[in-house]
Amino acid sequence: MAHQLLSAALGGIDAQTVRVQIDSNPGIHAFSIVGLGDKAVQESIDRIEAAIKNSGFAAPRSKNKRFVVNLAPADVKKEGPGYDLPIAIAYLVETRQLVITGEEAMLIGELGLDGRLAHTNGILAATMLARDMGIRQVIVPSCNAAEASVVTEVGVIGADTLSQVVSHLCHQVPIQVTRGDTTMAPVPNDDSFVHIKGQQAAKRALIVAAAGAHNVLMSGSPGSGKTLLARSIVGLLPPLTNEEAIEVAKIQSASGLLHGSVSSLQRPFLAPHHTASPASIVGGGTTIRPGQVSLAHRGVLFLDELPEFARNVLEALRQPIEDGIVSISRASGSITLPAKFMLVGAMNPCPCGNSGDPAAICTCTATSTLKYGKRISGPLLDRMDIRVLVSREHVSAETAENTLNITDIRRSIQHARSVQRERLSPIGLVTNSEIRHTHIDSLCALSPSAEQLLQAAVNRNNLSLRAYHKIKKIARTIADLDDSSAVQQHHVAEAMALRMADRATS
């Protein structure tokens, strides 16, 4: 008689239902798994048999039967060792070593040879699938229980061994449901931003960028502090909201990077090396996995030495920057992954880095400087909201004096983000940088004098429509920092200065 249990298959960061079916017939012993499983699935036969034997049950080789396991639907590729637990339980049910009573549960987990359950990727997505299907209980490895418990509508059973799962299903030794902690951890006390000497203009630009999640490009000579400024920006960002934390956790869970509870998550900060491949940045591979742009979702993606990245890598960033998603197409299908991140780039003005620095001599020719700048295409440059020129500063007693208070800065940024979230929630957005052209006139309305100033700048500097929209969004963020309901002329003037700081050199 065929028996069936529920599990889940991971595709990108989302899960879909897999029915684990098993049937047996008299004959020479055989144990096979069908249903388009990868190498890890096929190798599970030996893991499962050892785990069953070492847990005190009769293993498949002790039975003179042919066992066939089907992972349905058969046309969906099954990857990873997460099917070990449901296959083992299905076998015990089929051989009448276990009788399951009560409500249906979803099972996911990798088994060790000794019957212990190991950490498994994609548990959060599977638990969210169970909730959507109306399944009231999921059984997972205990080390995954904390991440799954954020889905409060589902009872999460965290087990250490196969024997514990069997005892729970038989109602002999029930396992208590893991309760989730939805209180987000506070932001670590990182005050490196205020301890950077000088660079007041660059600091102001980063404060505005952090308040509205705007992209930033910093250009300056080596040693001017670009990398230091970029790495300090994560200390300005407010803690993740519960909704954002679940979004980030789902991506990290699918990538095997989530260890512990969702409430302990901080905003991501990723800084890939300039030799990174397109697949590692935007995602992909034979088995589609999230790339750096998705792992940086709701956080910061820092690209140091921006012109040194391969041209196809930089051009692949266009869609994620513009749409907040990345669409990956392969012969096996297409997957869309979230990618709403702040892009922070840093570059030198020329190959030697000294162009425009009065205290250093530039050894580059005009041709090499022009060629170096053209490594970043115009369309990508146009997508950088804020552009900052960072020059070497002589550190005097005046510039070394700390005049900024990190607590006040964070409070101002968090208030600005709260205002934006309240304003944008009816259209499903979070920050000003996400506003699309269809809503920009209503959400970023300018005063008459501010609109007149911006129109004059557009005509004088031949700005693109994208630049026009970005200036309005930056001005709206500056107004939010000022706690102003209206976008005034001085807000637009500062936004124009931030947007066109390096126009003469770009």
Side-chain angles (χ1 to χ4, degrees), residues 65-145:
K65 289 185 176 181
R66 298 178 64 253
F67 295 93
V68 177
V69 175
N70 179 41
L71 304 179
D75 60 341
V76 174
K77 189 173 183 180
K78 320 300 187 308
E79 299 166 344
Y83 305 102
D84 291 4
L85 178 60
I87 292 174
I89 295 298
Y91 164 79
L92 294 176
V93 173
E94 174 68 15
T95 56
R96 300 181 181 178
Q97 299 180 72
L98 169 62
V99 177
I100 298 178
T101 59
E103 60 186 5
E104 189 174 33
M106 180 178 285
L107 297 93
I108 313 105
E110 176 185 351
L111 285 172
L113 299 183
D114 58 355
R116 293 183 180 274
L117 288 167
H119 185 276
T120 306
N121 297 346
I123 293 293
L124 180 54
T127 309
M128 295 173 75
L129 172 66
R131 175 197 61 193
D132 297 340
M133 294 176 59
I135 303 298
R136 301 288 298 277
Q137 187 178 99
V138 295
I139 301 176
V140 301
S142 57
C143 52
N144 288 110

Side-chain angles (χ1 to χ4, degrees), residues 201-202 204-210 214-218 343 345 381 383-388 470 474 477-478 495 497-502:
R204 172 61 180 175
L206 293 184
I207 290 171
V208 174
H214 299 289
N215 301 322
V216 183
L217 176 61
M218 293 183 288
L343 176 61
L381 192 62
R383 285 169 167 80
M384 304 302 290
D385 304 1
I386 296 173
R387 306 175 192 176
V388 184
K470 287 190 177 294
I474 297 168
T477 298
I478 296 171
L498 292 174
R499 169 71 186 181
M500 301 185 290
D502 65 342

Side-chain angles (χ1 to χ4, degrees), residues 124 127-128 130-131 135-138 145-156 177-183 242 246 262:
L124 180 54
T127 309
M128 295 173 75
R131 175 197 61 193
I135 303 298
R136 301 288 298 277
Q137 187 178 99
V138 295
E147 68 175 89
S149 63
V150 73
V151 186
T152 56
E153 300 89 341
V154 178
V156 177
V177 173
T178 302
R179 301 298 178 186
D181 182 8
T182 58
T183 303
N242 289 334
I246 292 174
V262 174

Side-chain angles (χ1 to χ4, degrees), residues 271-436:
H273 193 260
H274 62 259
T275 56
S277 66
S280 69
I281 295 294
V282 301
T286 304
T287 300
I288 298 178
R289 291 286 183 266
Q292 299 284 289
V293 296
S294 294
L295 293 172
H297 182 66
R298 298 300 180 190
V300 177
L301 178 65
F302 174 46
L303 302 184
D304 202 3
E305 303 297 342
L306 190 64
E308 301 301 329
F309 282 81
R311 184 63 174 258
N312 58 346
V313 170
L314 295 180
E315 295 308 302
L317 292 173
R318 289 198 202 178
Q319 184 205 15
I321 292 174
E322 195 73 17
D323 300 331
I325 59 172
V326 56
S327 298
I328 304 171
S329 297
R330 296 291 183 269
S332 57
S334 298
I335 289 178
T336 299
L337 301 172
K340 292 182 179 178
F341 58 91
M342 279 181 61
L343 176 61
V344 179
M347 61 177 290
N348 297 325
C350 65
C352 77
N354 295 326
S355 178
D357 189 341
I361 299 175
C362 178
T363 59
C364 305
T365 64
T367 302
S368 63
T369 300
L370 182 63
K371 185 177 179 180
Y372 184 78
K374 286 188 174 181
R375 292 184 184 181
I376 304 175
S377 67
L380 179 61
L381 192 62
D382 202 35
R383 285 169 167 80
M384 304 302 290
D385 304 1
I386 296 173
R387 306 175 192 176
V388 184
L389 292 177
V390 184
S391 58
R392 291 195 187 105
E393 290 190 0
H394 174 67
V395 180
S396 61
E398 182 180 352
T399 59
E401 183 181 357
N402 182 13
T403 59
L404 299 175
N405 185 298
I406 190 64
T407 303
D408 292 340
I409 293 172
R410 284 178 181 153
R411 187 182 298 116
S412 177
I413 291 173
Q414 187 158 0
H415 175 71
R417 289 229 177 177
S418 298
V419 170
Q420 293 168 46
R421 185 175 294 108
E422 183 177 353
R423 181 194 304 125
L424 302 174
S425 60
I427 57 174
L429 302 180
V430 176
T431 59
N432 287 334
S433 63
E434 301 172 40
I435 299 174
R436 305 303 296 269

